[in-house]
């Protein structure tokens, strides 16, 4: 119901045209053949407007969120396994930001050892690096993600002491050293770590496949690269090069004429450094958590042009990349729709 309310409001506000009658019939017939009842074609209508093409196999958010995602990703393990405080342990063999302090249920930890709050405060004050603090559970869309400097400035006009910052976040948060990103990616927007969203699928043969990849470029001055707060997304081809056009958030209607990054750098012809290593890394990580068949990874590129894991998502994943990449499930449409149905 929430999904339908969201999309109906977007359609109305942006005066998005209706589908042709034969398109409505084609979409409903397709989903009926897969064992689903397509109650409306709102999402098909939106994605056609944004993408410029009609596809019967666009995946509606209400079907994905209510049926498919919870039936191919086991809720039993969520949200515990996606607690950001546990990520470093689960994927300890992979490149990740350096953690200074973790707070788990109100208790402070450093290097997996419980410490007093005073020691955690000293560790932050002595870190000799720009730091970032963020919630570790029930987080998303860049909420309460803040950078602060050695003198604990959250912003030039808002000086906050470390202890006051801890009180603000209360519990379940993490403090890490800010990742110094690739010089090339920094040219797109230097104020944010511009990350790759890579969606992988663990198929019935045990093979991990990359469904899609897009780059998120943050809004100038922002601490995060989230599209929902003003950033842009741009699809990435298999060779690591960017599409010629970027896109904003769905609330803005989907249509886009964005051809440059916020810095003015042309998107077309820009190439992600070491993209092959990104693909290899996410495939290796996914087999560690087979209870989730579909995972959305946020991967940065560090100063050495090496991929670095920022976080991963297994529930309430976004499928809005259909705005600029076409049908979400691609070659695995039949397999995933079947699994979503038989497991429900």
């Amino acid at each position: 119901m929430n999904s339908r309310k969201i999309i109906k409001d977007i359609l109305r506000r942006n005066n998005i045209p209706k589908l042709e009658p034969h398109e409505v019939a084609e979409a409903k017939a397709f989903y009926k053949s897969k064992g689903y009842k397509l109650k409306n074609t709102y999402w098909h209508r939106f994605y056609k407007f944004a993408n410029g093409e009609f596809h019967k196999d666009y995946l509606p958010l209400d079907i994905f969120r209510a049926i498919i995602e919870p039936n191919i990703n086991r809720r039993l393990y969520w949200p515990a396994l996606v607690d950001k405080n546990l990520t470093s342990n689960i994927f300890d063999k992979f490149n990740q930001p350096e953690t200074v302090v973790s707070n788990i249920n109100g208790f402070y930890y450093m290097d997996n050892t419980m410490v007093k709050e005073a020691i955690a405060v000293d560790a932050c004050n002595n870190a000799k690096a720009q730091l970032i603090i963020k919630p570790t559970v029930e987080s998303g869309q860049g909420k309460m993600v803040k950078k602060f400097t050695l003198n604990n400035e959250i912003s030039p006009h808002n000086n906050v002491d470390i202890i006051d910052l801890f009180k603000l976040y209360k519990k379940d948060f993490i403090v890490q050293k800010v990742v110094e990103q690739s010089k090339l990616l920094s040219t797109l927007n230097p104020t944010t770590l511009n990350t790759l969203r890579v969606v992988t699928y663990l198929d019935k043969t045990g093979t991990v496949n990359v469904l899609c990849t897009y780059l998120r470029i943050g809004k100038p001055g922002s601490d995060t690269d989230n599209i929902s707060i003003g950033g842009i997304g741009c699809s990435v081809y298999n060779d690591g090069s960017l599409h010629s056009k970027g896109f904003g958030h769905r609330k803005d209607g989907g249509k886009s004429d964005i051809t440059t990054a916020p810095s003015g750098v042309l998107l077309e012809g820009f190439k992600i450094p070491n993209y092959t290593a990104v693909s290899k890394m996410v495939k290796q990580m996914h087999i560690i958590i087979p209870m989730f068949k579909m995972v959305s990874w946020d991967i940065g590129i560090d100063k050495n042009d090496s991929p670095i894991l920022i976080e991963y998502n297994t529930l309430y994943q976004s499928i809005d990349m259909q705005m600029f990449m076409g049908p979400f499930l691609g070659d695995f449409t039949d397999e995933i729709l079947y699994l979503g149905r038989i497991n429900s």
Side-chain angles (χ1 to χ4, degrees):
M1 290 178 63
N2 188 48
S3 167
R4 288 195 290 272
K5 182 177 183 298
I6 289 170
I7 193 60
K8 286 174 72 174
D9 183 57
I10 292 173
L11 295 173
R12 177 185 55 79
R13 284 190 291 105
N14 294 281
N15 196 28
I16 293 177
K18 293 184 178 181
L19 296 176
E20 298 293 334
H22 71 88
E23 293 172 332
V24 173
E26 190 177 346
K28 289 190 173 183
F30 171 76
Y31 275 94
K32 183 178 181 180
S33 73
K34 305 302 178 184
Y36 295 81
K37 183 176 181 180
L38 186 64
K39 296 181 179 179
N40 65 76
T41 54
Y42 299 145
W43 290 98
H44 283 74
R45 179 178 165 189
F46 171 66
Y47 290 133
K48 178 192 174 183
F49 174 75
N51 194 288
E53 297 178 355
F54 170 77
H55 294 278
K56 64 184 179 183
D57 52 344
Y58 280 132
L59 183 59
L61 187 62
D62 45 3
I63 287 180
F64 177 69
R65 286 273 175 88
I67 303 174
I68 295 174
E69 188 182 45
N71 288 319
I72 65 173
N73 286 356
R74 299 183 64 183
R75 283 180 176 268
L76 175 66
Y77 295 95
W78 190 94
L81 281 189
V82 293
D83 184 328
K84 293 180 177 66
N85 273 321
L86 300 181
T87 301
S88 59
N89 292 327
I90 296 172
F91 302 106
D92 60 333
K93 292 180 173 60
F94 298 91
N95 189 22
Q96 297 181 57
E98 182 180 343
T99 297
V100 179
V101 172
S102 296
N103 183 290
I104 304 174
N105 196 29
F107 299 98
Y108 292 93
Y109 284 82
M110 293 174 57
D111 297 323
N112 293 321
T113 300
M114 188 182 293
V115 299
K116 298 294 185 181
E117 184 178 66
I119 295 176
V121 169
D122 287 343
C124 291
N125 283 327
N126 297 325
K128 296 182 180 179
Q130 188 178 32
L131 303 177
I132 189 166
I133 185 171
K134 51 190 174 183
T136 55
V137 296
E138 298 182 357
S139 60
Q141 297 185 336
K143 294 176 182 176
M144 289 191 75
V145 176
K146 299 289 184 184
K147 290 181 182 178
F148 58 100
T149 60
L150 290 174
N151 59 358
N152 306 325
E153 291 184 357
I154 296 303
S155 76
H157 307 292
N158 184 21
N159 296 335
V160 178
D161 188 271
I162 289 290
I163 191 67
D164 291 333
L165 195 57
F166 284 177
K167 289 178 180 177
L168 175 65
Y169 282 74
K170 297 180 181 178
K171 64 179 182 178
D172 297 318
F173 60 84
I174 190 169
V175 178
Q176 296 174 316
K177 291 185 178 181
V178 170
V179 174
E180 187 177 342
Q181 73 176 325
S182 162
K183 289 183 178 179
L184 187 60
L185 284 182
S186 186
T187 64
L188 302 176
N189 179 41
T191 69
T192 57
L193 178 64
N194 305 304
T195 61
L196 294 159
R197 169 60 60 90
V198 187
V199 183
T200 56
Y201 170 62
L202 179 62
D203 69 26
K204 59 185 179 183
T205 71
T207 302
V208 180
N209 308 271
V210 174
L211 291 182
C212 63
T213 303
Y214 65 96
L215 178 67
R216 302 187 304 184
I217 307 169
K219 179 182 178 181
S222 174
D223 285 340
T224 68
D225 61 357
N226 295 74
I227 297 175
S228 61
I229 55 175
I232 66 170
C234 188
S235 59
V236 179
Y237 294 114
N238 291 335
D239 66 351
S241 60
L242 297 187
H243 193 277
S244 61
K245 187 181 291 186
F247 288 79
H249 194 260
R250 67 184 177 209
K251 68 177 182 292
D252 299 321
K255 280 287 188 182
S256 172
D257 58 359
I258 301 171
T259 58
T260 63
S263 63
V265 172
L266 194 67
L267 296 175
E268 187 172 17
F270 189 94
K271 198 163 185 176
I272 304 297
N274 211 7
Y275 180 68
T276 301
V278 173
S279 180
K280 180 180 179 181
M281 180 179 178
V282 294
K283 289 178 180 180
Q284 291 174 335
M285 290 190 296
H286 196 152
I287 60 175
I288 296 174
I289 48 171
M291 60 287 294
F292 305 125
K293 292 185 177 179
M294 185 179 295
V295 180
S296 293
W297 308 90
D298 291 342
I299 307 294
I301 306 293
D302 69 16
K303 64 180 181 180
N304 299 314
D305 285 345
S306 296
I308 183 167
L309 171 63
I310 304 305
E311 63 182 59
Y312 71 108
N313 306 274
T314 61
L315 203 61
Y316 308 125
Q317 297 174 73
S318 172
I319 59 173
D320 276 348
M321 62 284 291
Q322 293 180 113
M323 289 193 299
F324 48 91
M325 300 182 75
F328 176 58
L329 301 179
D331 294 339
F332 296 94
T333 296
D334 289 349
E335 180 177 324
I336 294 173
L337 289 179
Y338 173 74
L339 289 174
R341 179 171 56 83
I342 65 167
N343 290 335
S344 61

